[in-house]
Amino acid sequence: MIVRKALSVCFTLFFLCLSLLASAQQQNTEKGPVNEFFRSDGKIYVVVGVLVIIFLGIVLFLSRLERRISKLEKRQQPHS
Amino acid sequence: MTRIWWKVLAVLILLYTIIVGLTIQIPMIGTNAESSRGLFYHVPMWISMYTLFTISVINSLRYLRNYDLKYDVSASSAANVGTFFGVLGFATGTLWATYTWGGSLPTDPKQMSTALALLIYMAYLVLRMSIQDIDKRARISAVFNVFAFALLIPLTYIIPRMVDSLHPGAGSTPGFSKSDTDHHMMMVFYPAMVGWTLLGVWLYSLQLRYRKLELKNIFGNDRP
């Protein structure tokens, strides 16, 4: 179980790096008021990072909750 | 439900939609501009909600067939998570509308009828809380759920298409036409729908297992 979890985390990180690279390559050169605001200095990636951290935090919370529920289920099983 | 691969898939897809959805080039149109990216996050809430409400009504029908309480637990858990996604969809919609339609709650038929549909499902959840007897609660709420679903489809899908609205997918404003969304957006949009639906089902499975544990404590260890 732990190995599988660790594998999935590694896979996730790998995927993340890949897509970051991919999106960095298609950087936008067009100028317009919106583009200048939204992508100034390419710092939109900071926002993306913030969202990724929050999302991964929620996922971590969910998987911990899931593990706790499984543990409770297992504890109840022998009695039935 | 305890298998891990589809949960990992959901997380990977959602990471993809967060990263790529915020960084790809999209067409800039009128007052929408960059807010068009909301498509990747606002619409999947509704898709997830529809999926969960469908699971809910199917379980209610199964309950009504043989009065097995286990289906009632499934139905209420799905309705619970479905309403949660509905509220998220509504909240993101009003925020979006504030900056593109010039008001968070304009008298838009789609917003009004969706609010009604959500209120009906909230009534379902409140109704459940008001009945103490478990069997009576299950029967009444199963019937209510069938009617709620029967109203959900016309209220959120058919009526908004018959009248004029600012919302894409209404009578005069067809949604997702070629002029306002390009195929790059669809490469994020379709996975986003799948990812959020999977996440919704994950939340539903957690809720369901928790409720079953709770009931086991009430009933002893044989039910449901």
Side-chain angles (χ1 to χ4, degrees):
Chain A
M1 200 61 194
I2 290 171
V3 177
R4 267 163 103 200
K5 276 259 156 69
L7 261 178
S8 72
V9 170
C10 289
F11 189 35
T12 310
L13 284 175
F14 173 66
F15 186 86
L16 193 132
C17 297
L18 257 190
S19 43
L20 267 180
L21 270 177
S23 51
Q25 272 172 354
Q26 51 157 351
Q27 272 231 6
N28 166 26
T29 46
E30 237 176 60
K31 292 236 161 175
V34 184
N35 272 343
E36 268 168 26
F37 162 71
F38 204 66
R39 296 165 195 265
S40 46
D41 308 317
K43 278 186 185 159
I44 179 66
Y45 299 115
V46 181
V47 183
V48 176
V50 168
L51 284 175
V52 164
I53 290 170
I54 292 174
F55 178 68
L56 284 181
I58 291 171
V59 167
L60 206 75
F61 171 79
L62 277 181
S63 60
R64 277 172 63 96
L65 186 66
E66 164 133 19
R67 224 179 307 158
R68 266 185 230 160
I69 291 177
S70 315
K71 216 184 268 176
L72 273 179
E73 278 171 345
K74 257 181 216 145
R75 204 185 296 164
Q76 296 223 342
Q77 215 62 277
H79 300 290
S80 59
Chain B
M1 278 304 185
T2 50
R3 270 193 212 142
I4 196 171
W5 68 267
W6 60 274
K7 291 161 194 164
V8 175
L9 182 72
V11 174
L12 290 180
I13 291 175
L14 290 177
L15 275 177
Y16 165 81
T17 58
I18 289 173
I19 297 165
V20 180
L22 286 174
T23 48
I24 52 161
Q25 280 262 44
I26 58 165
M28 296 291 141
I29 297 162
T31 52
N32 257 317
E34 294 277 4
S35 83
S36 303
R37 294 178 199 277
L39 178 79
F40 307 141
Y41 311 104
H42 164 71
V43 183
M45 296 298 123
W46 299 115
I47 304 297
S48 191
M49 183 199 77
Y50 280 124
T51 313
L52 287 158
F53 283 167
T54 310
I55 293 174
S56 178
V57 78
I58 288 172
N59 278 296
S60 276
L61 290 170
R62 278 158 98 189
Y63 170 78
L64 287 174
R65 208 167 54 185
N66 51 18
Y67 302 114
D68 189 340
L69 277 172
K70 131 179 126 191
Y71 298 124
D72 177 60
V73 187
S74 307
S76 75
S77 305
N80 218 318
V81 183
T83 312
F84 170 67
F85 275 98
V87 170
L88 288 183
F90 196 81
T92 50
T94 46
L95 177 67
W96 197 349
T98 310
Y99 295 99
T100 51
W101 297 350
S104 19
L105 276 175
T107 50
D108 181 63
K110 187 141 185 162
Q111 267 183 326
M112 289 301 128
S113 56
T114 307
L116 263 179
L118 277 178
L119 280 174
I120 291 170
Y121 270 93
M122 287 174 186
Y124 166 84
L125 297 172
V126 174
L127 177 79
R128 290 185 63 84
M129 282 190 260
S130 68
I131 305 171
Q132 281 288 313
D133 185 273
I134 290 174
D135 288 297
K136 198 188 272 180
R137 173 171 67 201
R139 284 195 196 199
I140 292 175
S141 53
V143 174
F144 190 100
N145 195 8
V146 174
F147 280 97
F149 192 77
L151 276 172
L152 173 77
I153 304 303
L155 273 176
T156 60
Y157 202 74
I158 299 171
I159 295 174
R161 276 200 171 261
M162 292 163 68
V163 290
D164 257 350
S165 163
L166 287 166
H167 197 285
S172 59
T173 46
F176 310 137
S177 53
K178 287 207 172 66
S179 57
D180 54 27
T181 39
D182 65 355
H183 68 280
H184 291 295
M185 288 179 81
M186 290 309 165
M187 276 163 55
V188 181
F189 178 60
Y190 292 132
M193 292 204 286
V194 176
W196 282 105
T197 304
L198 285 178
L199 193 85
V201 173
W202 185 11
L203 290 181
Y204 154 67
S205 79
L206 286 178
Q207 175 94 334
L208 176 63
R209 285 160 63 192
Y210 168 71
R211 289 266 180 91
K212 280 187 174 174
L213 281 173
E214 221 175 28
L215 282 177
K216 254 183 195 166
N217 282 335
I218 297 172
F219 284 124
N221 286 315
D222 48 296
R223 219 128 175 55

PDB file of all heavy atoms in Angstrom, chain B residues 194-222:
ATOM      1  N   VAL B 194     -14.085  14.971 -17.052  1.00  0.00           N
ATOM      2  CA  VAL B 194     -13.831  13.615 -16.557  1.00  0.00           C
ATOM      3  C   VAL B 194     -13.212  13.674 -15.156  1.00  0.00           C
ATOM      4  O   VAL B 194     -13.640  12.979 -14.230  1.00  0.00           O
ATOM      5  CB  VAL B 194     -12.911  12.856 -17.531  1.00  0.00           C
ATOM      6  CG1 VAL B 194     -12.563  11.480 -16.970  1.00  0.00           C
ATOM      7  CG2 VAL B 194     -13.558  12.722 -18.889  1.00  0.00           C
ATOM      8  N   GLY B 195     -12.200  14.533 -14.997  1.00  0.00           N
ATOM      9  CA  GLY B 195     -11.483  14.626 -13.727  1.00  0.00           C
ATOM     10  C   GLY B 195     -12.387  15.026 -12.579  1.00  0.00           C
ATOM     11  O   GLY B 195     -12.369  14.403 -11.520  1.00  0.00           O
ATOM     12  N   TRP B 196     -13.200  16.051 -12.785  1.00  0.00           N
ATOM     13  CA  TRP B 196     -14.058  16.508 -11.688  1.00  0.00           C
ATOM     14  C   TRP B 196     -15.130  15.489 -11.374  1.00  0.00           C
ATOM     15  O   TRP B 196     -15.529  15.325 -10.223  1.00  0.00           O
ATOM     16  CB  TRP B 196     -14.677  17.881 -12.008  1.00  0.00           C
ATOM     17  CG  TRP B 196     -13.699  18.977 -11.806  1.00  0.00           C
ATOM     18  CD1 TRP B 196     -13.042  19.685 -12.770  1.00  0.00           C
ATOM     19  CD2 TRP B 196     -13.210  19.483 -10.547  1.00  0.00           C
ATOM     20  NE1 TRP B 196     -12.194  20.596 -12.195  1.00  0.00           N
ATOM     21  CE2 TRP B 196     -12.281  20.494 -10.842  1.00  0.00           C
ATOM     22  CE3 TRP B 196     -13.478  19.180  -9.217  1.00  0.00           C
ATOM     23  CZ2 TRP B 196     -11.606  21.201  -9.850  1.00  0.00           C
ATOM     24  CZ3 TRP B 196     -12.814  19.886  -8.230  1.00  0.00           C
ATOM     25  CH2 TRP B 196     -11.890  20.883  -8.551  1.00  0.00           C
ATOM     26  N   THR B 197     -15.619  14.800 -12.424  1.00  0.00           N
ATOM     27  CA  THR B 197     -16.612  13.754 -12.171  1.00  0.00           C
ATOM     28  C   THR B 197     -16.004  12.643 -11.317  1.00  0.00           C
ATOM     29  O   THR B 197     -16.613  12.177 -10.352  1.00  0.00           O
ATOM     30  CB  THR B 197     -17.135  13.193 -13.498  1.00  0.00           C
ATOM     31  OG1 THR B 197     -17.648  14.268 -14.274  1.00  0.00           O
ATOM     32  CG2 THR B 197     -18.225  12.175 -13.273  1.00  0.00           C
ATOM     33  N   LEU B 198     -14.761  12.238 -11.671  1.00  0.00           N
ATOM     34  CA  LEU B 198     -14.099  11.194 -10.885  1.00  0.00           C
ATOM     35  C   LEU B 198     -13.891  11.651  -9.448  1.00  0.00           C
ATOM     36  O   LEU B 198     -14.107  10.891  -8.501  1.00  0.00           O
ATOM     37  CB  LEU B 198     -12.755  10.822 -11.515  1.00  0.00           C
ATOM     38  CG  LEU B 198     -12.798   9.960 -12.771  1.00  0.00           C
ATOM     39  CD1 LEU B 198     -11.394   9.727 -13.305  1.00  0.00           C
ATOM     40  CD2 LEU B 198     -13.464   8.631 -12.483  1.00  0.00           C
ATOM     41  N   LEU B 199     -13.494  12.915  -9.272  1.00  0.00           N
ATOM     42  CA  LEU B 199     -13.291  13.424  -7.910  1.00  0.00           C
ATOM     43  C   LEU B 199     -14.614  13.425  -7.141  1.00  0.00           C
ATOM     44  O   LEU B 199     -14.650  13.087  -5.954  1.00  0.00           O
ATOM     45  CB  LEU B 199     -12.691  14.831  -7.945  1.00  0.00           C
ATOM     46  CG  LEU B 199     -12.172  15.291  -6.587  1.00  0.00           C
ATOM     47  CD1 LEU B 199     -10.769  14.795  -6.347  1.00  0.00           C
ATOM     48  CD2 LEU B 199     -12.218  16.798  -6.444  1.00  0.00           C
ATOM     49  N   GLY B 200     -15.696  13.797  -7.844  1.00  0.00           N
ATOM     50  CA  GLY B 200     -17.012  13.772  -7.218  1.00  0.00           C
ATOM     51  C   GLY B 200     -17.383  12.373  -6.757  1.00  0.00           C
ATOM     52  O   GLY B 200     -17.893  12.181  -5.657  1.00  0.00           O
ATOM     53  N   VAL B 201     -17.097  11.375  -7.610  1.00  0.00           N
ATOM     54  CA  VAL B 201     -17.419  10.000  -7.252  1.00  0.00           C
ATOM     55  C   VAL B 201     -16.553   9.545  -6.076  1.00  0.00           C
ATOM     56  O   VAL B 201     -17.019   8.827  -5.192  1.00  0.00           O
ATOM     57  CB  VAL B 201     -17.248   9.069  -8.481  1.00  0.00           C
ATOM     58  CG1 VAL B 201     -17.424   7.618  -8.081  1.00  0.00           C
ATOM     59  CG2 VAL B 201     -18.256   9.431  -9.547  1.00  0.00           C
ATOM     60  N   TRP B 202     -15.310  10.020  -6.036  1.00  0.00           N
ATOM     61  CA  TRP B 202     -14.426   9.691  -4.898  1.00  0.00           C
ATOM     62  C   TRP B 202     -15.018  10.241  -3.602  1.00  0.00           C
ATOM     63  O   TRP B 202     -15.153   9.526  -2.593  1.00  0.00           O
ATOM     64  CB  TRP B 202     -13.034  10.255  -5.168  1.00  0.00           C
ATOM     65  CG  TRP B 202     -12.005   9.888  -4.128  1.00  0.00           C
ATOM     66  CD1 TRP B 202     -12.139   8.973  -3.129  1.00  0.00           C
ATOM     67  CD2 TRP B 202     -10.694  10.440  -3.995  1.00  0.00           C
ATOM     68  NE1 TRP B 202     -10.993   8.909  -2.388  1.00  0.00           N
ATOM     69  CE2 TRP B 202     -10.096   9.801  -2.889  1.00  0.00           C
ATOM     70  CE3 TRP B 202      -9.963  11.411  -4.699  1.00  0.00           C
ATOM     71  CZ2 TRP B 202      -8.799  10.104  -2.464  1.00  0.00           C
ATOM     72  CZ3 TRP B 202      -8.683  11.706  -4.279  1.00  0.00           C
ATOM     73  CH2 TRP B 202      -8.102  11.056  -3.180  1.00  0.00           C
ATOM     74  N   LEU B 203     -15.408  11.526  -3.634  1.00  0.00           N
ATOM     75  CA  LEU B 203     -16.009  12.137  -2.445  1.00  0.00           C
ATOM     76  C   LEU B 203     -17.265  11.376  -2.033  1.00  0.00           C
ATOM     77  O   LEU B 203     -17.500  11.122  -0.854  1.00  0.00           O
ATOM     78  CB  LEU B 203     -16.373  13.600  -2.730  1.00  0.00           C
ATOM     79  CG  LEU B 203     -15.215  14.585  -2.890  1.00  0.00           C
ATOM     80  CD1 LEU B 203     -15.751  15.973  -3.150  1.00  0.00           C
ATOM     81  CD2 LEU B 203     -14.363  14.598  -1.643  1.00  0.00           C
ATOM     82  N   TYR B 204     -18.066  10.984  -3.045  1.00  0.00           N
ATOM     83  CA  TYR B 204     -19.289  10.241  -2.768  1.00  0.00           C
ATOM     84  C   TYR B 204     -18.966   8.904  -2.099  1.00  0.00           C
ATOM     85  O   TYR B 204     -19.618   8.512  -1.133  1.00  0.00           O
ATOM     86  CB  TYR B 204     -20.055  10.050  -4.076  1.00  0.00           C
ATOM     87  CG  TYR B 204     -20.969   8.850  -4.124  1.00  0.00           C
ATOM     88  CD1 TYR B 204     -22.092   8.778  -3.321  1.00  0.00           C
ATOM     89  CD2 TYR B 204     -20.706   7.798  -4.992  1.00  0.00           C
ATOM     90  CE1 TYR B 204     -22.929   7.683  -3.366  1.00  0.00           C
ATOM     91  CE2 TYR B 204     -21.540   6.701  -5.050  1.00  0.00           C
ATOM     92  CZ  TYR B 204     -22.639   6.643  -4.234  1.00  0.00           C
ATOM     93  OH  TYR B 204     -23.460   5.556  -4.275  1.00  0.00           O
ATOM     94  N   SER B 205     -17.915   8.223  -2.577  1.00  0.00           N
ATOM     95  CA  SER B 205     -17.589   6.916  -1.991  1.00  0.00           C
ATOM     96  C   SER B 205     -17.128   7.073  -0.544  1.00  0.00           C
ATOM     97  O   SER B 205     -17.466   6.255   0.315  1.00  0.00           O
ATOM     98  CB  SER B 205     -16.544   6.192  -2.843  1.00  0.00           C
ATOM     99  OG  SER B 205     -15.268   6.698  -2.579  1.00  0.00           O
ATOM    100  N   LEU B 206     -16.387   8.143  -0.266  1.00  0.00           N
ATOM    101  CA  LEU B 206     -15.951   8.389   1.114  1.00  0.00           C
ATOM    102  C   LEU B 206     -17.153   8.651   2.019  1.00  0.00           C
ATOM    103  O   LEU B 206     -17.266   8.102   3.113  1.00  0.00           O
ATOM    104  CB  LEU B 206     -14.993   9.574   1.169  1.00  0.00           C
ATOM    105  CG  LEU B 206     -13.578   9.355   0.639  1.00  0.00           C
ATOM    106  CD1 LEU B 206     -12.791  10.645   0.719  1.00  0.00           C
ATOM    107  CD2 LEU B 206     -12.875   8.278   1.441  1.00  0.00           C
ATOM    108  N   GLN B 207     -18.048   9.518   1.504  1.00  0.00           N
ATOM    109  CA  GLN B 207     -19.243   9.864   2.266  1.00  0.00           C
ATOM    110  C   GLN B 207     -20.076   8.617   2.562  1.00  0.00           C
ATOM    111  O   GLN B 207     -20.532   8.389   3.679  1.00  0.00           O
ATOM    112  CB  GLN B 207     -20.065  10.865   1.443  1.00  0.00           C
ATOM    113  CG  GLN B 207     -21.390  11.226   2.046  1.00  0.00           C
ATOM    114  CD  GLN B 207     -21.278  12.479   2.883  1.00  0.00           C
ATOM    115  OE1 GLN B 207     -20.216  12.783   3.391  1.00  0.00           O
ATOM    116  NE2 GLN B 207     -22.362  13.200   3.019  1.00  0.00           N
ATOM    117  N   LEU B 208     -20.220   7.775   1.516  1.00  0.00           N
ATOM    118  CA  LEU B 208     -21.026   6.565   1.640  1.00  0.00           C
ATOM    119  C   LEU B 208     -20.433   5.615   2.674  1.00  0.00           C
ATOM    120  O   LEU B 208     -21.150   5.084   3.537  1.00  0.00           O
ATOM    121  CB  LEU B 208     -21.095   5.884   0.272  1.00  0.00           C
ATOM    122  CG  LEU B 208     -21.812   4.545   0.198  1.00  0.00           C
ATOM    123  CD1 LEU B 208     -23.272   4.728   0.554  1.00  0.00           C
ATOM    124  CD2 LEU B 208     -21.694   3.960  -1.197  1.00  0.00           C
ATOM    125  N   ARG B 209     -19.109   5.419   2.614  1.00  0.00           N
ATOM    126  CA  ARG B 209     -18.475   4.481   3.548  1.00  0.00           C
ATOM    127  C   ARG B 209     -18.571   4.993   4.981  1.00  0.00           C
ATOM    128  O   ARG B 209     -18.795   4.228   5.923  1.00  0.00           O
ATOM    129  CB  ARG B 209     -17.023   4.254   3.143  1.00  0.00           C
ATOM    130  CG  ARG B 209     -16.918   3.350   1.929  1.00  0.00           C
ATOM    131  CD  ARG B 209     -15.618   3.470   1.218  1.00  0.00           C
ATOM    132  NE  ARG B 209     -14.497   3.061   2.046  1.00  0.00           N
ATOM    133  CZ  ARG B 209     -13.234   3.287   1.725  1.00  0.00           C
ATOM    134  NH1 ARG B 209     -12.935   3.925   0.613  1.00  0.00           N
ATOM    135  NH2 ARG B 209     -12.269   2.878   2.500  1.00  0.00           N
ATOM    136  N   TYR B 210     -18.444   6.322   5.127  1.00  0.00           N
ATOM    137  CA  TYR B 210     -18.567   6.912   6.457  1.00  0.00           C
ATOM    138  C   TYR B 210     -19.975   6.708   7.013  1.00  0.00           C
ATOM    139  O   TYR B 210     -20.158   6.289   8.155  1.00  0.00           O
ATOM    140  CB  TYR B 210     -18.229   8.408   6.378  1.00  0.00           C
ATOM    141  CG  TYR B 210     -18.589   9.161   7.625  1.00  0.00           C
ATOM    142  CD1 TYR B 210     -17.876   8.980   8.792  1.00  0.00           C
ATOM    143  CD2 TYR B 210     -19.662  10.050   7.632  1.00  0.00           C
ATOM    144  CE1 TYR B 210     -18.210   9.658   9.945  1.00  0.00           C
ATOM    145  CE2 TYR B 210     -20.002  10.727   8.780  1.00  0.00           C
ATOM    146  CZ  TYR B 210     -19.282  10.531   9.930  1.00  0.00           C
ATOM    147  OH  TYR B 210     -19.621  11.198  11.058  1.00  0.00           O
ATOM    148  N   ARG B 211     -20.995   6.956   6.161  1.00  0.00           N
ATOM    149  CA  ARG B 211     -22.386   6.789   6.594  1.00  0.00           C
ATOM    150  C   ARG B 211     -22.671   5.344   6.980  1.00  0.00           C
ATOM    151  O   ARG B 211     -23.385   5.066   7.934  1.00  0.00           O
ATOM    152  CB  ARG B 211     -23.334   7.185   5.472  1.00  0.00           C
ATOM    153  CG  ARG B 211     -23.377   8.646   5.188  1.00  0.00           C
ATOM    154  CD  ARG B 211     -24.520   9.285   5.957  1.00  0.00           C
ATOM    155  NE  ARG B 211     -24.584  10.711   5.692  1.00  0.00           N
ATOM    156  CZ  ARG B 211     -25.310  11.225   4.707  1.00  0.00           C
ATOM    157  NH1 ARG B 211     -26.034  10.439   3.944  1.00  0.00           N
ATOM    158  NH2 ARG B 211     -25.331  12.510   4.511  1.00  0.00           N
ATOM    159  N   LYS B 212     -22.107   4.400   6.190  1.00  0.00           N
ATOM    160  CA  LYS B 212     -22.350   2.990   6.480  1.00  0.00           C
ATOM    161  C   LYS B 212     -21.743   2.604   7.820  1.00  0.00           C
ATOM    162  O   LYS B 212     -22.347   1.854   8.589  1.00  0.00           O
ATOM    163  CB  LYS B 212     -21.780   2.118   5.362  1.00  0.00           C
ATOM    164  CG  LYS B 212     -22.688   2.063   4.154  1.00  0.00           C
ATOM    165  CD  LYS B 212     -22.193   1.062   3.146  1.00  0.00           C
ATOM    166  CE  LYS B 212     -23.187   0.910   2.016  1.00  0.00           C
ATOM    167  NZ  LYS B 212     -22.664   0.044   0.952  1.00  0.00           N
ATOM    168  N   LEU B 213     -20.544   3.130   8.095  1.00  0.00           N
ATOM    169  CA  LEU B 213     -19.915   2.865   9.394  1.00  0.00           C
ATOM    170  C   LEU B 213     -20.792   3.388  10.522  1.00  0.00           C
ATOM    171  O   LEU B 213     -20.998   2.722  11.537  1.00  0.00           O
ATOM    172  CB  LEU B 213     -18.547   3.533   9.464  1.00  0.00           C
ATOM    173  CG  LEU B 213     -17.401   2.824   8.761  1.00  0.00           C
ATOM    174  CD1 LEU B 213     -16.168   3.704   8.773  1.00  0.00           C
ATOM    175  CD2 LEU B 213     -17.099   1.514   9.451  1.00  0.00           C
ATOM    176  N   GLU B 214     -21.321   4.607  10.290  1.00  0.00           N
ATOM    177  CA  GLU B 214     -22.170   5.246  11.274  1.00  0.00           C
ATOM    178  C   GLU B 214     -23.400   4.374  11.554  1.00  0.00           C
ATOM    179  O   GLU B 214     -23.765   4.126  12.698  1.00  0.00           O
ATOM    180  CB  GLU B 214     -22.636   6.589  10.720  1.00  0.00           C
ATOM    181  CG  GLU B 214     -22.658   7.716  11.706  1.00  0.00           C
ATOM    182  CD  GLU B 214     -23.009   9.009  11.006  1.00  0.00           C
ATOM    183  OE1 GLU B 214     -23.717   8.984   9.977  1.00  0.00           O
ATOM    184  OE2 GLU B 214     -22.564  10.051  11.478  1.00  0.00           O
ATOM    185  N   LEU B 215     -24.014   3.866  10.468  1.00  0.00           N
ATOM    186  CA  LEU B 215     -25.214   3.044  10.616  1.00  0.00           C
ATOM    187  C   LEU B 215     -24.900   1.712  11.280  1.00  0.00           C
ATOM    188  O   LEU B 215     -25.695   1.194  12.042  1.00  0.00           O
ATOM    189  CB  LEU B 215     -25.856   2.801   9.254  1.00  0.00           C
ATOM    190  CG  LEU B 215     -26.663   3.981   8.721  1.00  0.00           C
ATOM    191  CD1 LEU B 215     -27.204   3.663   7.343  1.00  0.00           C
ATOM    192  CD2 LEU B 215     -27.814   4.307   9.657  1.00  0.00           C
ATOM    193  N   LYS B 216     -23.715   1.169  10.974  1.00  0.00           N
ATOM    194  CA  LYS B 216     -23.325  -0.094  11.598  1.00  0.00           C
ATOM    195  C   LYS B 216     -23.309   0.056  13.117  1.00  0.00           C
ATOM    196  O   LYS B 216     -23.698  -0.845  13.844  1.00  0.00           O
ATOM    197  CB  LYS B 216     -21.935  -0.501  11.123  1.00  0.00           C
ATOM    198  CG  LYS B 216     -21.995  -1.648  10.142  1.00  0.00           C
ATOM    199  CD  LYS B 216     -20.610  -2.063   9.754  1.00  0.00           C
ATOM    200  CE  LYS B 216     -20.663  -2.929   8.520  1.00  0.00           C
ATOM    201  NZ  LYS B 216     -19.368  -3.095   7.908  1.00  0.00           N
ATOM    202  N   ASN B 217     -22.873   1.219  13.563  1.00  0.00           N
ATOM    203  CA  ASN B 217     -22.841   1.451  15.001  1.00  0.00           C
ATOM    204  C   ASN B 217     -24.240   1.499  15.592  1.00  0.00           C
ATOM    205  O   ASN B 217     -24.451   1.125  16.734  1.00  0.00           O
ATOM    206  CB  ASN B 217     -22.102   2.758  15.315  1.00  0.00           C
ATOM    207  CG  ASN B 217     -20.609   2.565  15.220  1.00  0.00           C
ATOM    208  OD1 ASN B 217     -20.126   1.451  15.381  1.00  0.00           O
ATOM    209  ND2 ASN B 217     -19.887   3.632  14.945  1.00  0.00           N
ATOM    210  N   ILE B 218     -25.204   1.990  14.782  1.00  0.00           N
ATOM    211  CA  ILE B 218     -26.567   2.050  15.291  1.00  0.00           C
ATOM    212  C   ILE B 218     -27.203   0.669  15.300  1.00  0.00           C
ATOM    213  O   ILE B 218     -27.820   0.239  16.265  1.00  0.00           O
ATOM    214  CB  ILE B 218     -27.424   3.003  14.433  1.00  0.00           C
ATOM    215  CG1 ILE B 218     -26.862   4.426  14.528  1.00  0.00           C
ATOM    216  CG2 ILE B 218     -28.875   2.991  14.889  1.00  0.00           C
ATOM    217  CD1 ILE B 218     -27.495   5.405  13.594  1.00  0.00           C
ATOM    218  N   PHE B 219     -27.025  -0.051  14.181  1.00  0.00           N
ATOM    219  CA  PHE B 219     -27.732  -1.315  13.997  1.00  0.00           C
ATOM    220  C   PHE B 219     -27.055  -2.518  14.628  1.00  0.00           C
ATOM    221  O   PHE B 219     -27.615  -3.595  14.642  1.00  0.00           O
ATOM    222  CB  PHE B 219     -27.862  -1.617  12.501  1.00  0.00           C
ATOM    223  CG  PHE B 219     -28.914  -0.804  11.824  1.00  0.00           C
ATOM    224  CD1 PHE B 219     -28.597  -0.036  10.730  1.00  0.00           C
ATOM    225  CD2 PHE B 219     -30.214  -0.802  12.291  1.00  0.00           C
ATOM    226  CE1 PHE B 219     -29.567   0.710  10.104  1.00  0.00           C
ATOM    227  CE2 PHE B 219     -31.184  -0.062  11.665  1.00  0.00           C
ATOM    228  CZ  PHE B 219     -30.859   0.698  10.567  1.00  0.00           C
ATOM    229  N   GLY B 220     -25.826  -2.356  15.078  1.00  0.00           N
ATOM    230  CA  GLY B 220     -25.048  -3.553  15.379  1.00  0.00           C
ATOM    231  C   GLY B 220     -24.290  -3.865  14.119  1.00  0.00           C
ATOM    232  O   GLY B 220     -24.128  -2.982  13.284  1.00  0.00           O
ATOM    233  N   ASN B 221     -23.845  -5.058  13.932  1.00  0.00           N
ATOM    234  CA  ASN B 221     -22.928  -5.279  12.831  1.00  0.00           C
ATOM    235  C   ASN B 221     -23.518  -5.948  11.604  1.00  0.00           C
ATOM    236  O   ASN B 221     -22.815  -6.330  10.697  1.00  0.00           O
ATOM    237  CB  ASN B 221     -21.725  -6.080  13.309  1.00  0.00           C
ATOM    238  CG  ASN B 221     -20.821  -5.217  14.146  1.00  0.00           C
ATOM    239  OD1 ASN B 221     -20.542  -4.080  13.758  1.00  0.00           O
ATOM    240  ND2 ASN B 221     -20.407  -5.703  15.299  1.00  0.00           N
ATOM    241  N   ASP B 222     -24.852  -6.086  11.527  1.00  0.00           N
ATOM    242  CA  ASP B 222     -25.380  -6.812  10.388  1.00  0.00           C
ATOM    243  C   ASP B 222     -25.986  -5.925   9.312  1.00  0.00           C
ATOM    244  O   ASP B 222     -26.252  -6.369   8.229  1.00  0.00           O
ATOM    245  CB  ASP B 222     -26.430  -7.823  10.868  1.00  0.00           C
ATOM    246  CG  ASP B 222     -27.397  -7.165  11.820  1.00  0.00           C
ATOM    247  OD1 ASP B 222     -26.946  -6.741  12.904  1.00  0.00           O
ATOM    248  OD2 ASP B 222     -28.586  -7.059  11.493  1.00  0.00           O
TER     249      ASP B 222
END
